[in-house]
Amino acid sequence: MKKSLLALALISAAGACAPQQPPATATVPVRESPAHAVIPVPRSITLDRTERFVLDTSAAVVIDANASKEVAQVADYLVKLLAPSASGAVRTTGMAAGKPIRLSLDPSRSLGAEGYDLTVGAREITLVANTPAGLFYGVQTLRQLLPYSVEHPAAVGRKLSLPTGRITDAPRFEWRGMMLDVSRHFLPATDVKRFIDAMALYKLNRLHLHLSDDQGWRIEIESRPALTEIGGSTKVGGGPGGFYTQAEYADLVAYAASRFITVIPEIDMPAHTNAALASYPDLNCDKVAPPLYTGIKVGFSALCVDSASVLPFVQDVIREIAAITPGDYFHIGGDEVKKLTKAQYIRFIESVQQVVASNGKRMIGWGEIAPAALTQNTIVQSWIRDSSALHAARGGKVILSPSPKLYLDMKYDSATVLGLAWAGLVELRTAYDWDPATFIPGVGEASILGVEGPLWSETLEKAEDYERMAFPRLLAVAELGWSPAAARDWNSFRARVAAHGARMSALGLNFYRSPQIDWQP
Ligand code: TNX
C-alpha cells in the first residue's frame, strides 16, 4: 500500500500534461501509476513533482554555433517532434531563446558511445552526450516524458509539458536489435521505415533483415538478375512476392542510419536457399532448378557446396551487398542444414567466413556455425540451446535471441491467430522476465554482445500482422538490451507498458493488448 501511495504522489506517466494527481487516500481504489513511463528504464532517473517545463513558443532547440552536421540533424529531429508546440527552427548559441532546450556534445564527460545526461529545469533543458547517438537517445527519453499527444502534432489545443528532473543513462549492451523476415512474405520499404521509427523510440540500434530464404529472394543482385526475377517473384501461399532494388535498399539503410540504426543484411546459406536454387540451376548438384516454394517447411534445400559454381555465386552476392552496406556486419544464416554432411557444412562456413572478411565485414551466423573454426571477430546468434558456449570459450561474442523468450513470431497465448508455437507461447512477461547473463551456461555478460528479437513471417502477410506480433514484446527486447539488470523489474515494466498503449495507438502501431497489462485509456 505504502508503495502505491508513493507512486500516486509522483507524476502520472500518461497524464504528464495534466496537473498532479490528487493525493490518494486509503479508500480510493488504487491503480498503480508509475513515476514515469520511460522504456527502456534509464540507469538513473530523479523527477521533481513540483515543477514542470512547459512547451510553448518561447521554447526553442539550441545547439552550439559550431555544432556538427549530425548534432544539427538530431536537433532538427527534435524540432519536428515538438512542432508546432515549440518555436519552429533550431537556433544556435548567441540567438536568445526564452526557454532553451540545449543539445551539446561534451567529450570530457564519461557518458560512453550511447549515453546521455538530461537535465530538465522549469525554464531550461540541457542534454549532453559524448556522441550524436547519445543525444538522439536523450531526445527519445525527453519524448517519452512528454504525454503521448506529442505523437499527434495536428491535435488542437494539446498541452505539452514534462516533469523537471535529471536522467543519466547508458545502455547495458551495444547490440539491441530486431530482425524482420522479409522473405517468407515481403515487407515494402515504407513499412520497414515505420518499424525503424518505432525501434528508435525504444532505443534499438540494429535492424537485421532476413533477405533470402526458400520462399523468396528480396534484394537485387546486379550480376545475378534471376535471383529477384525468379526467386523474388512469389511468397508463402503463392501470389506476387517483391524485392528491394539496390537503390531502395541503400535508401533504407540511410533512413535507418538517420535514426542511429545499423542495418545487417542476411543471406541465408547453405540451406534456406530454394529461391536461389530455383533461379540458377548451376547451384544444384543435379543442375536442375527446383520449382519455387510457397510452403513453410524448413531444412529441405541446400546449395551444392562442392560444386564449382557455388563459391563464385556466394562471392558475387556478398560483394554486391557489402558494397551498399556501410555497417560492419554481414549475416550468413547457416541454420537448419539437413542435407549436407557435417564436414561439408563446416568447410562451407569456413570459406564463407573468408569471403565476408575479405569484403571488410564481420560475419554473423546462427548458433549452428559455432563448431566451425570461427575467428574471434565472428559473431554467433544463439536461438536454441546450441553450442554458442563454444564461441564464448574462444573469446567470441554472442547475440542472444532465445526462441522461447525473444522469438517475436511465437504466439502470445493459445488463442493468438498469427504466429507459430514450436518454441512455446511467449506472453509479454515470458519475453521480459529473464536475465541474458545467466541464460546460457558458459555465455556470461562479457561474451554477450546483446539481444535481438527475430520476427519470422511465415504467417505474417502485411505490416499490421508484423506489428501485432512485435508490439508490445519489442519493448521487452529494448529494456533487456538497454537497462541494467538491477533496474529491471516486471511490475515496474508492466506499469510503464500500460502507458505506452496510447502512444503506440497514436503512432498507428497495431499492438497486442496483453491481458498481463492494465492498459491505460
Ligand atoms: C526457425 S530461427 C528458423 C526459421 C523459421 C523460424 C520460425 C532460425 C535460425 N530458423 O527459418 O522461420 O524458426 O519460428
Side-chain angles (χ1 to χ4, degrees):
M1 194 61 213
K2 223 174 140 200
K3 215 174 155 195
S4 16
L5 280 174
L6 179 69
L8 272 171
L10 295 169
I11 298 146
S12 145
C17 63
Q20 276 175 250
Q21 300 259 352
T25 70
T27 53
V28 174
V30 174
R31 165 180 228 161
E32 284 287 338
S33 190
H36 66 85
V38 180
I39 295 175
V41 70
R43 205 159 272 244
S44 154
I45 177 163
T46 319
L47 298 178
D48 175 356
R49 58 199 159 92
T50 56
E51 282 198 294
R52 303 182 70 80
F53 182 100
V54 178
L55 261 297
D56 53 37
T57 47
S58 70
V61 177
V62 179
I63 58 175
D64 293 340
N66 60 351
S68 68
K69 197 174 121 225
E70 274 185 300
V71 170
Q73 279 165 353
V74 176
D76 279 335
Y77 177 98
L78 177 58
V79 163
K80 277 204 194 84
L81 199 67
L82 301 178
S85 298
S87 82
V90 178
R91 305 193 189 185
T92 49
T93 40
M95 296 166 69
K99 290 196 285 189
I101 304 171
R102 289 184 206 285
L103 272 50
S104 62
L105 298 183
D106 183 352
S108 73
R109 302 279 312 276
S110 41
L111 296 164
E114 297 181 300
Y116 63 90
D117 184 352
L118 175 64
T119 307
V120 183
R123 300 203 54 82
E124 178 167 12
I125 295 176
T126 55
L127 172 57
V128 179
N130 292 157
T131 62
L135 290 179
F136 187 74
Y137 297 132
V139 163
Q140 299 305 335
T141 296
L142 197 162
R143 175 182 182 183
Q144 290 194 16
L145 288 170
L146 291 164
Y148 74 82
S149 61
V150 69
E151 318 296 351
H152 282 305
V156 173
R158 72 174 181 172
K159 291 202 173 61
L160 298 184
S161 73
L162 68 158
T164 54
R166 174 139 187 220
I167 298 103
T168 48
D169 203 5
R172 176 179 179 186
F173 295 117
E174 71 176 77
W175 191 284
R176 305 178 302 279
M178 96 164 289
M179 188 208 83
L180 291 174
D181 171 6
V182 297
S183 172
R184 270 54 178 270
H185 287 92
F186 179 64
L187 199 60
T190 47
D191 295 328
V192 177
K193 286 182 180 176
R194 277 169 50 76
F195 262 100
I196 288 171
D197 284 338
M199 289 171 69
L201 171 61
Y202 297 109
K203 303 186 176 81
L204 295 179
N205 65 356
R206 301 284 187 264
L207 174 62
H208 166 183
L209 291 177
H210 184 76
L211 291 165
S212 72
D213 211 302
D214 291 316
Q215 299 86 346
W217 186 283
R218 307 300 182 203
I219 183 161
E220 174 190 24
I221 302 296
E222 288 170 358
S223 59
R224 309 271 171 167
L227 286 171
T228 43
E229 279 162 20
I230 297 173
S233 64
T234 192
K235 62 183 174 192
V236 166
F243 64 92
Y244 310 120
T245 63
Q246 292 202 358
E248 284 166 344
Y249 172 84
D251 174 64
L252 210 47
V253 167
Y255 189 83
S258 74
R259 274 108 179 105
F260 298 90
I261 292 170
T262 302
V263 170
I264 295 90
E266 178 188 353
I267 297 296
D268 205 345
M269 57 183 112
H272 290 274
T273 40
N274 192 76
L277 299 171
S279 309
Y280 285 100
D282 269 6
L283 302 174
N284 298 272
C285 289
D286 59 6
K287 309 289 178 207
V288 177
L292 291 165
Y293 181 68
T294 59
I296 65 168
K297 291 204 188 87
V298 296
F300 62 88
S301 59
L303 297 171
C304 186
V305 292
D306 297 327
S307 124
S309 313
V310 167
L311 195 58
F313 166 80
V314 169
Q315 285 166 333
D316 284 347
V317 168
I318 294 179
R319 186 190 65 250
E320 287 198 32
I321 297 176
I324 50 172
T325 302
D328 288 339
Y329 314 97
F330 192 97
H331 201 306
I332 59 109
D335 57 315
E336 297 180 314
V337 185
K338 299 183 184 157
K339 282 191 54 181
L340 302 178
T341 65
K342 190 163 182 224
Q344 280 177 311
Y345 173 74
I346 298 276
R347 252 198 328 273
F348 178 76
I349 296 297
E350 290 167 0
S351 66
V352 176
Q353 179 173 249
Q354 282 174 9
V355 177
V356 173
S358 69
N359 281 281
K361 302 295 177 195
R362 273 182 91 169
M363 185 170 94
I364 309 177
W366 296 105
E368 286 95 322
I369 70 167
L374 303 180
T375 67
Q376 278 190 358
N377 201 37
T378 289
I379 299 162
V380 168
Q381 183 166 13
S382 172
W383 63 288
I384 34 180
R385 285 191 184 266
D386 47 36
S387 42
S388 53
L390 276 179
H391 193 53
R394 60 165 86 92
K397 296 281 188 192
V398 176
I399 297 167
L400 294 196
S401 298
S403 42
K405 299 286 180 196
L406 294 190
Y407 264 34
L408 303 177
D409 65 315
M410 290 300 117
K411 290 178 185 287
Y412 292 98
D413 63 17
S414 56
T416 308
V417 172
L418 299 172
L420 303 174
W422 64 264
L425 299 172
V426 182
E427 245 298 355
L428 184 59
R429 183 170 188 167
T430 308
Y432 181 82
D433 216 357
W434 60 286
D435 187 48
T438 55
F439 194 71
I440 305 178
V443 182
E445 182 96 12
S447 305
I448 299 173
L449 197 58
V451 294
E452 182 178 302
L455 183 47
W456 301 98
S457 68
E458 284 93 334
T459 64
L460 313 178
E461 291 182 82
K462 51 189 188 300
E464 289 83 349
D465 301 348
Y466 281 75
E467 287 172 9
R468 191 169 175 85
M469 300 310 279
F471 300 99
R473 289 183 291 201
L474 193 81
L475 284 58
V477 178
E479 189 148 310
L480 276 160
W482 181 283
S483 306
R488 292 206 308 115
D489 169 71
W490 164 250
N491 284 318
S492 151
F493 180 67
R494 100 180 252 279
R496 284 176 286 115
V497 171
H500 279 257
R503 194 173 294 264
M504 289 188 281
S505 294
L507 292 167
L509 297 170
N510 183 26
F511 66 99
Y512 164 65
R513 295 200 155 252
S514 166
Q516 296 181 332
I517 302 297
D518 297 325
W519 297 98
Q520 288 177 14

